[in-house]
Amino acid sequence: MDITKDKLLEKLEFFSNFKFNKNYNDLTKEEKFVAITDSIMALTSKDWTDQLGKKARQRKAYYFSAEFLIGRSLGNNLLNLGIYDLVNSILEEKGDRIKDIENEEEDAALGNGGLGRLAACFLESAASQGFNLDGYGIRYSEGLFKQFFKDGFQAEEGDDWSSFYNPWSKRIVSDEKIIKFKNQTVKACPYDMPIFGYKNGQINRLRLWQAEAVNEFDFNRFNNFDYDGAVREKNEAEDLTRVLYPNDERREGKLLRIKQQYFFVSASLQDIVSNYKKNFDDKEFKHFHEYVSIQLNDTHPVIGIPELIRILLDEEKISFEDSFNIARKIFNFTNHTILREAMEVWSVDLIDETSPRVLEIIQMIEQRLVEELYNKGFKEEEINFLRIVKDDSIHMANLAIFVSNKVNGVAELHTNILKNETLKDWYGAYPYKFTNKTNGVTQRRWLIYSNMELSDFIDRKLGSNEWREDFSKIKELEKFAEDEPSIREFLEIRKKKKIELTEIIKETTGIDVDPNSIFDVQVKRLHEYKRQLLNALHIVYLYHRLKEDKNFISEKRTFIFGAKAAPAYFRAKAVIKFINEIARVINNDKDIDGKIKVVFLENFRVSLGEKIYPACDFSEQISTAGKEASGTGNMKFMMNGAITIGTYDGANVEIFEKAGEENNIRFGKTVEELMEIKPNYDPYKIYQEDIYIKNALDSLMSGEFKDNESYMFLDIYNSLLKSEGGDRADRYFVLEDFESYRKAQEKISEVYKDEMRFGKMCLLNIANSAYFSSDRTIREYAEEIWKLESHN
Ligand code: 7GP
């Protein structure tokens, strides 16, 4: 790919005329964004086409995921194509700023949080390392809802992300597939997005399916004045991929949801099978598994297992035995959560309503499972426990584990919990299937693109930019940990990023914050187990102390939050309201001399994250031990030099191990300790015995913070102190860990005060973040699970 200034200028003018009947200089910013992306697509399309042809005959892995949380693409694509600076200079000559154009792009928010963003990082890392990994998913018309605050409450609106333009994808009509449900037949139309590798010429593909009607319009109905009936089929078909379900870590037993899942995996598998037939002469599918490996991103695409068997058995006339064995070789399964609420279980009725044939095949698989376990010497109760079909429900994780080649967790601690607790019987039966693949994030988006200043600094210090491709080289930064001028320079860059965030905060919330204050940040989905509430209660505690004594803390603190709550998750929304009230009261209280400020940024999303991670001093990773499978925000913060204040949970464990506990702040009970405490845990006792904790909790009820009669604060209060409907009081041990968290928070001030020490700690976190690159993760998947070679 040779994209030169002349070619770019020519294409820019061409698309300005072609699309808008204007000259480039007369375009609006939004139109300029479109002209630029169209130019990039045009200039890379020949290469893409050639590579699609070539790669169709090579071994490939496919990432099946109901979510791809891509965010914006312009900046990253320019960076990966090696033309960011070139485009920047062209735009400057024309009097535009590239950042303004980038801001025109809507986030493609086709995912909820960690799981979806991981899928996006994986595609980018695979392309950058020359692995054939393609993505398959759903093209939702409405992405994750947009969040705004109304009187401090979360409100939601739709995210019609692609209505005006969607320049990064091509609709490939000739590859449409037909999907048959029990009572409905629809078309699946693919939209292909290029995934550019970093300066290596590789282009992989993300194919997202959109549901459309087979017959868009019923002319006879229209003629008989039945206008709704005339477009009923169209609407019902399009409903299938209309919206992303806004829940993470919670299942939703809705027919539409299982139909979405079946829709996209059926289309993807038909696609893979028909390409195989086109490219290979192997009617018996004897070599299929030599060319295809599929990674199932959690249970959402697991219905693909019986669907592939159905296609091979019913359409390709392969025996059940052979079809089953093929499935067993090509599928692999990743689990992303240990929360009970997230394990998908579908009623037999709903599967039948989706596809009766798939249900039959699941029952045939079930039979195999029972036989196999019986032959392994398992007793009846043991077998019953592992059944796929239990009490008229289908347990998707059981189906996935039984048929998959490999099963993985996403951090060491998580995989161990799976092996020894959640899935211990499965581990007993099939130990060789289990493997760990600790998550990672792409340093291209989360460091090089988001933090160009820091990246230039690293280039200068290391005397080369090789670390951008080979992230293990980042370790060399360690040499500068004791070098005062380097640390000073580094701290200056951090300051600049904080000032930039300060401006965003001012613009979006009106709040003035001091860039010299400590930026203490918690951004992630809102969940009880992630314990934003612990953070909030601690802020209330600090505030109470400051009311007694203005000098209770020496360093000014800014607490920054970003979090969406699932629209139906009452308690999560209560926590948002609580934090917003805390912010309102504290930010307006003159008594405390602005010692603390609290900011809750609306609508946390990928493109906002890109501005937040580089500006953070302390990264809050405070989930209840054993609950966060991995976390990936923790890695984005670390790469940008933030110090983790965290529990011994998920990948925090590995962060502490790699960067040293002395360079981070660890607190809270471990998984084992909590297990011991659990049977006799009494949060009420803690509440009564610690006056500060009591005051903080009582602020929920005393009127100090007001919930506008929504009873939200009562709900929070009760959740901490009262057991309800089988749930213990304080299920997530907020009060148990409070004291330890308070001490950890004190340490923050102490660490920050000593600038050189602080800078050194930050630098050492960056220097030791190599392991958390998704390049490393993808290499492990490619070598150990997918058996792919690099084409770099
Ligand atoms: C998340 C996990 O909560 C997070 O710890 C992990 O880092 C991330 O996946 C990527 O592995 N899980 C989800 O986002 C989710 O929706 C339910 O899980 C299926």
Side-chain angles (χ1 to χ4, degrees), residues 477-484 486-487 756 759-760 763-764:
L477 256 196
E478 258 182 4
K479 288 192 295 221
F480 301 91
E482 304 287 346
D483 180 43
E484 200 174 318
S486 298
I487 298 286
M756 279 305 126
K760 176 181 167 188
L763 194 85
L764 286 175

Side-chain angles (χ1 to χ4, degrees), residues 558-572:
T558 303
F559 294 96
I560 298 167
F561 291 87
K564 289 182 185 178
Y569 191 172
F570 183 80
R571 191 167 293 159

Side-chain angles (χ1 to χ4, degrees), residues 146-418:
K146 292 187 174 159
Q147 175 198 56
F148 62 97
F149 298 139
K150 196 162 175 271
D151 302 326
F153 294 101
Q154 168 173 300
E156 302 96 18
E157 63 188 10
D159 170 42
D160 189 358
W161 65 287
S162 62
S163 61
F164 176 57
Y165 44 70
N166 179 217
W168 298 116
S169 58
K170 299 189 187 186
R171 180 185 160 96
I172 311 289
V173 175
S174 58
D175 280 354
E176 280 175 356
K177 298 287 175 292
I178 296 291
I179 312 298
K180 291 193 175 126
F181 297 102
K182 185 179 186 179
N183 299 311
Q184 188 186 17
T185 299
V186 302
K187 261 186 343 198
C189 190
Y191 283 74
D192 290 359
M193 291 181 76
I195 308 292
F196 299 111
Y198 182 69
K199 297 186 183 172
N200 63 352
Q202 298 282 348
I203 311 179
N204 284 343
R205 184 178 75 181
L206 169 59
R207 174 162 270 195
L208 301 176
W209 301 97
Q210 177 171 292
E212 290 171 16
V214 179
N215 302 300
E216 295 246 309
F217 185 69
D218 186 330
F219 191 75
N220 289 322
R221 288 214 161 137
F222 184 80
N223 259 349
N224 289 315
F225 309 105
D226 178 7
Y227 302 120
D228 290 343
V231 290
R232 185 167 304 131
E233 184 181 334
K234 174 178 160 72
N235 289 334
E236 284 177 1
E238 290 174 6
D239 280 346
L240 273 175
T241 52
R242 184 138 2 241
V243 302
L244 166 74
Y245 278 88
N247 305 317
D248 63 346
E249 324 247 0
R250 267 192 167 199
R251 73 182 124 87
E252 184 116 31
K254 298 253 172 67
L255 180 63
L256 187 62
R257 169 85 170 164
I258 184 74
K259 285 178 84 173
Q260 276 187 345
Q261 298 179 352
Y262 180 68
F263 165 82
F264 99 86
V265 298
S266 177
S268 310
L269 290 164
Q270 289 184 46
D271 202 32
I272 293 171
V273 167
S274 81
N275 283 334
Y276 183 71
K277 285 165 52 180
K278 221 180 289 166
N279 286 288
F280 301 94
D281 180 23
D282 175 19
K283 296 216 165 34
E284 283 157 16
F285 285 76
K286 285 217 156 40
H287 303 282
F288 190 58
H289 67 275
E290 292 166 24
Y291 292 92
V292 177
S293 181
I294 296 175
Q295 193 69 36
L296 301 170
N297 202 22
D298 218 274
T299 52
H300 319 141
V302 166
I303 197 164
I305 293 173
E307 173 63 4
L308 176 68
I309 297 176
R310 184 195 68 76
I311 294 172
L312 295 177
L313 180 66
D314 295 357
E315 288 168 24
E316 306 301 331
K317 309 300 174 203
I318 311 290
S319 70
F320 177 77
E321 186 65 21
D322 288 347
S323 305
F324 177 82
N325 287 330
I326 291 172
R328 243 187 175 178
K329 289 194 189 114
I330 69 175
F331 284 108
N332 304 286
F333 168 61
T334 307
N335 169 285
H336 292 268
T337 178
I338 31 196
L339 295 193
R340 258 182 296 126
E341 312 84 286
M343 300 274 175
E344 286 186 300
V345 176
W346 291 101
S347 77
V348 165
D349 290 352
L350 287 182
I351 303 278
D352 179 65
E353 186 71 21
T354 304
S355 165
R357 183 60 179 149
V358 161
L359 178 60
E360 273 173 19
I361 289 169
I362 292 174
Q363 284 156 344
M364 287 153 81
I365 297 173
E366 161 93 349
Q367 236 169 40
R368 289 269 326 209
L369 167 70
V370 173
E371 276 164 33
E372 194 168 295
L373 292 174
Y374 181 80
N375 290 336
K376 276 178 182 271
F378 277 60
K379 298 204 198 63
E380 198 176 319
E381 326 78 87
E382 293 169 331
I383 295 178
N384 285 343
F385 190 74
L386 297 179
R387 277 177 182 272
I388 298 165
V389 189
K390 282 192 270 193
D391 307 325
D392 284 329
S393 313
I394 312 291
H395 291 247
M396 302 309 270
N398 290 0
L399 173 58
I401 302 165
F402 176 53
V403 185
S404 284
N405 168 48
K406 293 283 175 197
V407 174
N408 76 282
V410 291
E412 233 162 72
L413 179 72
H414 172 228
T415 302
N416 287 334
I417 293 175
L418 293 179

Side-chain angles (χ1 to χ4, degrees), residues 635-745:
M635 303 169 184
K636 297 164 197 164
F637 281 118
M638 180 196 196
M639 274 181 193
N640 281 282
I643 291 170
T644 301
I645 165 167
T647 46
Y648 217 55
D649 197 18
N652 296 352
V653 175
E654 290 156 83
I655 289 178
F656 297 146
E657 184 187 300
K658 306 281 177 205
E661 285 201 16
E662 69 284 6
N663 294 315
N664 288 289
I665 304 176
R666 186 190 144 188
F667 77 97
K669 293 279 190 295
T670 62
V671 181
E672 294 78 24
E673 286 166 342
L674 289 178
M675 292 228 276
E676 229 170 89
I677 291 169
K678 200 169 162 177
N680 301 311
Y681 181 47
D682 183 4
Y684 197 76
K685 189 156 170 255
I686 302 175
Y687 166 83
Q688 278 180 314
E689 285 175 0
D690 185 322
I691 184 67
Y692 288 109
I693 292 184
K694 183 170 187 306
N695 286 343
L697 258 64
D698 286 349
S699 75
L700 283 157
M701 304 304 297
S702 64
E704 182 177 0
F705 302 107
K706 296 191 181 61
D707 69 1
N708 309 36
E709 270 94 62
S710 62
Y711 296 100
M712 282 180 155
F713 293 176
L714 176 65
D715 179 66
I716 297 176
Y717 183 85
N718 284 343
S719 77
L720 294 171
L721 298 176
K722 301 211 163 78
S723 53
E724 317 152 295
D727 282 343
R728 288 173 293 105
D730 192 14
R731 267 180 81 183
Y732 296 103
F733 299 100
V734 172
L735 299 195
E736 178 62 41
D737 277 346
F738 191 91
E739 176 59 15
S740 166
Y741 184 56
R742 200 178 57 72
K743 291 209 178 102
Q745 283 281 346

Side-chain angles (χ1 to χ4, degrees), residues 593-624:
D593 285 354
K595 271 282 169 63
I596 52 181
K597 286 270 169 87
V598 181
V599 175
F600 202 140
L601 290 166
E602 279 173 331
N603 202 30
F604 179 63
R605 59 196 184 284
V606 172
S607 59
L608 184 55
E610 289 162 3
K611 292 162 184 148
I612 294 175
Y613 296 113
C616 169
D617 296 313
F618 292 90
S619 146
E620 297 273 348
Q621 308 300 335
I622 61 177
S623 52
T624 312

Side-chain angles (χ1 to χ4, degrees), residues 443 467 469-476 767 770-771 773 779:
Q443 71 273 17
W467 65 274
E469 276 156 83
D470 175 0
F471 202 50
S472 66
K473 294 216 157 65
I474 197 75
K475 181 83 177 163
E476 291 168 25
Y771 187 75
S773 163
R779 238 177 285 126

